[in-house]
Amino acid sequence: GLKAERGVFNLGELKLILEEARKTSPDWFTVTLVGVYTGQRLRDCTDLEWAGVNFVDGTVTFKVYKKRGKKHSMPMHPILRRHLESMAGDTAEKYVAPSLAGRETGGRSGLSMEFSEIMQRAGVEAGQAERTGKRAMSSRSFHSLRHTLTSLMANGDVAPELRQRITGHDSERIHQQYTHHEQRSLARALSVIPDLTAD
């Protein structure tokens, strides 16, 4: 059938989701913040390791589950950086969100369902998308954070190739080492997302 079009969130909804995630657990807040400010997939956000957080370079590196652990690096948004720095001092953990790392995304007790419940409590509608075969997909989910980031960058006149570099749709490009110039452009592209954590 038709591919279900995933919806996007507006900034007000992102704020509500982050507030609810904060009430849910420190790890859900961290993972949601990572999703909002990097646009990476749920499993990659929950499985982010401290080894992938580089405060010197200002980058965060994911092992992309869908691409068999291929690494994807990108600049850390200042808001994400501030949050991770506030946690970094006192942890001997391998994972940034240890209580969620390594868990399945699907199923009734999966991570996707838990995020849907956070959205529900935040009063943010999941909405119904087109049916794909027998399954009615909800049009908004954790994955919508990815579409939201892309659409915010598009609205902020960020060039398509930069948007692709950030979301990791750059499988053609093998090298992960960005030049300072690229790094600055990518960081500028991400700066279209404001601070959504302020009260």
Side-chain angles (χ1 to χ4, degrees):
L2 270 170
K3 198 171 176 287
E5 176 53 35
R6 300 282 183 130
V8 296
F9 299 112
N10 65 40
L11 295 177
E13 290 172 324
L14 289 178
K15 250 184 126 108
L16 290 170
I17 290 169
L18 281 165
E19 277 164 28
E20 192 54 49
R22 196 194 287 271
K23 289 180 207 160
T24 303
S25 77
D27 282 357
W28 263 119
F29 179 67
T30 297
V31 162
T32 306
L33 205 64
V34 172
V36 167
Y37 287 105
T38 68
Q40 300 307 302
R41 298 174 187 87
L42 176 54
R43 183 133 188 184
D44 300 333
C45 292
T46 54
D47 289 359
L48 176 63
E49 297 178 13
W50 280 111
V53 178
N54 187 328
F55 293 118
V56 179
D57 286 353
T59 57
V60 58
T61 301
F62 298 88
K63 292 178 185 167
V64 183
Y65 179 71
K66 256 182 117 165
K67 298 183 181 174
R68 295 186 190 75
K70 179 178 180 284
K71 289 185 173 164
H72 172 64
S73 290
M74 59 180 291
M76 243 184 296
H77 188 286
I79 298 303
L80 179 59
R81 181 186 181 116
R82 190 178 72 195
H83 176 67
L84 292 175
E85 278 175 342
S86 75
M87 296 166 63
D90 50 16
T91 182
E93 294 285 352
K94 176 180 180 183
Y95 293 102
V96 170
S99 71
L100 303 178
R103 285 188 39 201
E104 283 301 317
T105 49
R108 275 180 214 284
S109 57
L111 294 165
S112 296
M113 189 63 92
E114 273 183 40
F115 185 77
S116 297
E117 286 160 7
I118 290 172
M119 280 173 56
Q120 219 169 354
R121 290 195 301 274
V124 175
E125 287 287 316
Q128 282 293 307
E130 304 296 306
R131 283 184 166 276
T132 43
K134 293 191 179 65
R135 271 176 65 213
M137 301 263 302
S138 63
S139 72
R140 299 197 302 178
S141 61
F142 192 92
H143 201 80
S144 304
L145 296 174
R146 190 170 172 79
H147 296 287
T148 301
L149 176 60
T150 301
S151 116
L152 284 168
M153 288 191 294
N155 296 341
D157 290 328
V158 174
E161 58 275 15
L162 280 179
R163 303 199 301 258
Q164 288 172 348
R165 293 294 291 280
I166 284 174
T167 53
H169 287 130
D170 59 346
S171 41
E172 310 314 306
R173 315 258 328 235
I174 314 271
H175 83 279
Q176 276 304 338
Q177 294 310 311
Y178 297 118
T179 65
H180 281 299
H181 173 69
E182 281 178 302
Q183 190 73 0
R184 270 202 309 273
S185 311
L186 292 170
R188 219 176 15 251
L190 275 178
S191 71
V192 300
I193 324 173
D195 180 1
L196 296 161
T197 60
D199 296 327

